[in-house]
């Protein structure tokens, strides 16, 4: 809790108005005759809503020439630069340059719609997620390779036997530049019914922004001390980041052995596709989920808040 409080205070500091972190006067430029240090990095907010981090090489009365962090050079009109402020080292650790654009590091790399990727949270890194109105959960990186999750299915809390806890453990690590492996379990516990859950293994191919995750697991049920195993669960999920703020996320679940009649496929499948909007410390997903063969799709929405270590 102390680490989360420190992280929250740090986030609040970064989110203070620009009047604290930079010049908010109509003219964002330094006074006439003032020179820039050659190694000083600047964050420029442009009229189209984008931001770039650069070194300023030359300032004229109407234009300025800059060098981006990848070494490429650009010429900008002063009127198109709405805000200019020094770029701090703590910010630099969270950014990268992709195709001449500055992107935030993807803090949502470890999750899809419901199933996780094989990428781990860092030690002390955490998030809280609200999926629809049903499932609330928080995840925390115990180490760089071990994370835990605790949550609850909210609607059942108002029923006579509504107490329930969802718990999960994931052990994950990188085995090559483009491959991560993970294993763990997730379980739902209700006192009068026992527990149901899933032990899983998964592999993520790609990087934090563009990845595909293949997973498989064995469902289990524990009722009054007796354990029964069910059929397998296979998942195929992916994430494709379009730019700094938007990405597409897909998740597909296959339940072998569960027959779907009434004209549907013989195997139960669930498919989801969402648009993910990413902010500095949060993100929301908006899209749909459908059962394979069904003529309708159900809306899907979730919001996640991220906390740095």
């Amino acid at each position: 809790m102390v680490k989360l409080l420190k992280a929250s205070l740090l986030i609040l500091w970064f989110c203070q108005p620009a009047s604290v972190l930079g010049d908010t006067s109509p003219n964002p430029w330094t006074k006439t005759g003032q020179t820039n240090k050659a190694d000083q990095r600047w964050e420029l907010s442009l009229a189209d809503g984008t931001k770039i981090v650069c070194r300023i090489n030359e300032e004229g009365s109407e234009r300025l020439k800059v060098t981006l962090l990848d070494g490429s050079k650009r010429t900008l009109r002063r009127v198109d630069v709405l805000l200019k402020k020094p770029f701090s080292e703590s910010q630099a650790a969270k950014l990268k340059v992709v195709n001449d654009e500055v992107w935030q590091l993807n803090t949502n790399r470890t999750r899809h719609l419901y199933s996780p990727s094989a990428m781990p949270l860092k030690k002390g890194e955490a998030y809280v997620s609200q999926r629809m109105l049903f499932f609330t959960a928080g995840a925390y990186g115990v180490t760089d390779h071990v994370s835990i999750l605790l949550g609850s299915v909210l609607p059942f809390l108002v029923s006579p036997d509504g107490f329930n806890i969802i718990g999960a453990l994931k052990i994950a690590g990188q085995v090559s530049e483009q491959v991560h492996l993970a294993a763990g379990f997730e379980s739902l516990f209700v006192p009068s019914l026992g527990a149901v859950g899933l032990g899983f293994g998964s592999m993520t191919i790609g990087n934090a922004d563009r990845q595909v995750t293949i997973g498989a697991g064995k469902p289990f049920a524990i009722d009054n001390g007796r354990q029964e195993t069910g059929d397998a669960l296979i998942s195929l999920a992916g994430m494709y980041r379009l730019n700094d703020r938007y990405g597409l996320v897909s998740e597909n679940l296959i339940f072998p052995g569960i027959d779907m009649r009434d004209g549907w496929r013989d195997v139960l499948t669930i498919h989801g596709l969402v648009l993910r909007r990413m902010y500095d410390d949060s993100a929301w997903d908006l899209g749909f989920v459908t059962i394979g063969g069904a003529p309708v799709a159900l809306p899907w929405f979730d919001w996640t808040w991220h906390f740095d270590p």
Side-chain angles (χ1 to χ4, degrees), residues 2 18 27 38 44 57-58 65-66 83 90 93 110 162 220 240 248 261 269 273 276 292:
V2 175
N27 183 356
L44 306 183
N57 302 323
E58 182 181 333
K65 297 181 179 181
V66 302
L83 179 66
S90 58
T110 66
F220 63 84
Y240 189 90
L248 295 174
R261 303 305 181 182
T269 62
L273 178 65
R276 176 166 292 173

Side-chain angles (χ1 to χ4, degrees), residues 5 43 92 109 112 152 260:
L5 179 59
E43 179 182 318
R109 68 197 180 279
H112 298 112
S152 182
M260 300 299 295

Side-chain angles (χ1 to χ4, degrees), residues 103-124:
W103 288 15
Q104 296 278 342
L105 294 183
N106 189 359
T107 58
N108 301 279
R109 68 197 180 279
T110 66
R111 62 182 191 89
H112 298 112
L113 274 69
Y114 188 88
S115 64
S117 77
M119 292 186 174
L121 290 169
K122 296 181 294 184
K123 181 179 180 180

Side-chain angles (χ1 to χ4, degrees), residues 20-31:
V20 177
L21 299 178
D23 186 3
T24 59
S25 60
N27 183 356
W29 304 101
T30 54
K31 297 179 180 180

Side-chain angles (χ1 to χ4, degrees), residues 208-230:
D209 299 319
R210 294 168 182 176
Q211 56 176 269
V212 174
T213 298
I214 303 170
K218 181 71 172 177
F220 63 84
I222 303 175
D223 184 10
N224 297 327
R226 292 179 298 131
Q227 179 169 319
E228 299 177 0
T229 59

Side-chain angles (χ1 to χ4, degrees), residues 26-161:
N27 183 356
W29 304 101
T30 54
K31 297 179 180 180
T32 304
Q34 184 174 346
T35 59
N36 297 304
K37 295 181 180 179
D39 59 350
Q40 174 66 59
R41 286 179 287 189
W42 298 91
E43 179 182 318
L44 306 183
S45 298
L46 305 182
D48 62 358
T50 62
K51 295 181 180 181
I52 63 171
V53 178
C54 62
R55 291 178 174 86
I56 298 177
N57 302 323
E58 182 181 333
E59 295 186 43
S61 59
E62 296 184 357
R63 301 180 184 274
L64 69 155
K65 297 181 179 181
V66 302
T67 301
L68 302 183
L69 300 188
D70 64 356
S72 61
K73 299 183 182 298
R74 292 181 62 179
T75 299
L76 305 172
R77 297 181 62 197
R78 276 199 175 197
V79 68
D80 294 331
V81 180
L82 304 182
L83 179 66
K84 164 189 152 186
K85 62 182 180 181
F87 185 74
S88 67
E89 291 299 326
S90 58
Q91 288 175 288
K94 301 178 182 180
L95 299 180
K96 63 180 180 180
V97 176
V98 180
N99 297 329
D100 297 339
E101 295 182 359
V102 178
W103 288 15
Q104 296 278 342
L105 294 183
N106 189 359
T107 58
N108 301 279
R109 68 197 180 279
T110 66
R111 62 182 191 89
H112 298 112
L113 274 69
Y114 188 88
S115 64
S117 77
M119 292 186 174
L121 290 169
K122 296 181 294 184
K123 181 179 180 180
E125 187 180 8
Y127 68 80
V128 175
S129 179
Q130 179 66 51
R131 296 180 175 96
M132 303 293 286
L133 299 177
F134 307 110
F135 178 45
T136 302
Y140 179 76
V142 180
T143 72
D144 286 341
H145 301 288
V146 178
S147 60
I148 58 174
L149 179 144
L150 290 176
S152 182
V153 182
L154 294 182
F156 296 120
L157 292 179
V158 299
S159 65
D161 191 34

